[in-house]
Amino acid sequence: MEPVRTVAGRAYPWGASNVDTDVIIPAEWLKTITRSGLARGAFQTVRAEPGNVFDEPEYAGAPILIAGDNFGCGSSREHAAWALNDMGVRAVIAPSFSDIFAGNAFKNGIVTVALPQEAIDRLIEVARTQPITVDLETMTVTTPFQDRFAFTLDPFRRQCLMEGLDEIALTLSKDTAISKYESAVADARPWIGRRGGHAGIVVEGTGRT
């Protein structure tokens, strides 16, 4: 996972509320087991409408999505986060998020920023013509007009995002401690670590194992 410290650029000024994961990526796209190519199916039903924000050329490749309340509700499909990633979205700003979506987004390096509706309204207005910056260092969302909106994020998730640590990387970062523990266990209970078809336990009185 790539480290995320700031996300800056144009933002999709969408603002829709109660966007479920089926809207983000329809069920027909769930057959794939890869994370690439899902951008083609992202917001498919929305893109079927003429003049939708996702097909406006000025927002092409925008790294930020501004949405409404309860973003990512519905099913728990991780494909929703994969699709956003494949679109190039690295941060979603909304008043609130589904817990499962927020977790999936975090695991895939996407920052979920919760702000009050009045801040969302202002950011949508600015995003129509100007870039926006999400800064994990200062925990703020800023605009060229000196707007500054503070947000909170779980400290553990913030650290993982800024250091680019997914679950595998977190485990590997504890390699020394894990190896030390395994070595201690092997010394204290050598029968656990023995290889072969059986544990090599001696049956008393028989001399056999």
Side-chain angles (χ1 to χ4, degrees):
M1 189 167 77
E2 292 294 322
V4 181
R5 294 183 178 273
T6 61
V7 182
R10 297 301 299 272
Y12 295 104
W14 194 25
S17 298
N18 300 311
V19 175
D20 64 32
T21 51
D22 194 52
V23 171
I24 299 172
I25 186 71
E28 65 196 74
W29 289 85
L30 304 190
K31 299 174 184 178
T32 180
I33 57 173
T34 66
R35 304 187 185 196
S36 60
L38 290 174
R40 292 183 290 112
F43 302 105
Q44 184 173 280
T45 55
V46 179
R47 283 179 155 148
E49 302 173 2
N52 71 85
V53 68
F54 296 106
D55 288 331
E56 292 292 331
E58 61 263 43
Y59 306 120
I64 301 170
L65 170 63
I66 305 174
D69 194 44
N70 197 28
F71 186 83
C73 57
S75 75
S76 60
R77 66 191 69 169
E78 191 173 6
H79 292 66
W82 295 357
L84 289 170
N85 246 334
D86 203 42
M87 286 177 62
V89 172
R90 296 294 176 264
V92 181
I93 307 173
S96 65
F97 299 87
S98 155
D99 287 342
I100 294 177
F101 171 81
N104 286 336
F106 157 66
K107 291 177 182 179
N108 287 276
I110 299 174
V111 185
T112 51
V113 178
L115 290 175
Q117 186 61 53
E118 53 267 30
I120 297 296
D121 293 341
R122 172 57 179 166
L123 290 172
I124 287 176
E125 178 185 356
V126 172
R128 292 192 176 102
T129 58
Q130 300 294 327
I132 288 171
T133 299
V134 176
D135 192 331
L136 286 182
E137 294 275 5
T138 60
M139 298 290 285
T140 58
V141 178
T142 56
T143 76
F145 300 110
Q146 306 306 311
D147 298 293
R148 187 180 184 88
F149 303 106
F151 65 93
T152 60
L153 199 63
D154 176 82
F156 173 74
R157 290 188 174 185
R158 176 175 178 259
Q159 177 187 357
C160 289
L161 287 166
M162 293 180 67
E163 296 181 12
L165 298 175
D166 58 15
E167 291 172 330
I168 294 175
L170 277 171
T171 302
L172 292 176
S173 71
K174 304 295 183 182
D175 179 62
T176 300
I178 293 171
S179 297
K180 184 177 180 180
Y181 172 79
E182 290 178 339
S183 178
V185 169
D187 289 341
R189 307 173 204 172
W191 61 88
I192 292 179
R194 290 182 182 174
R195 298 180 180 179
H198 53 80
I201 299 173
V202 176
V203 179
E204 290 187 17
T206 66
R208 294 177 295 169
T209 59

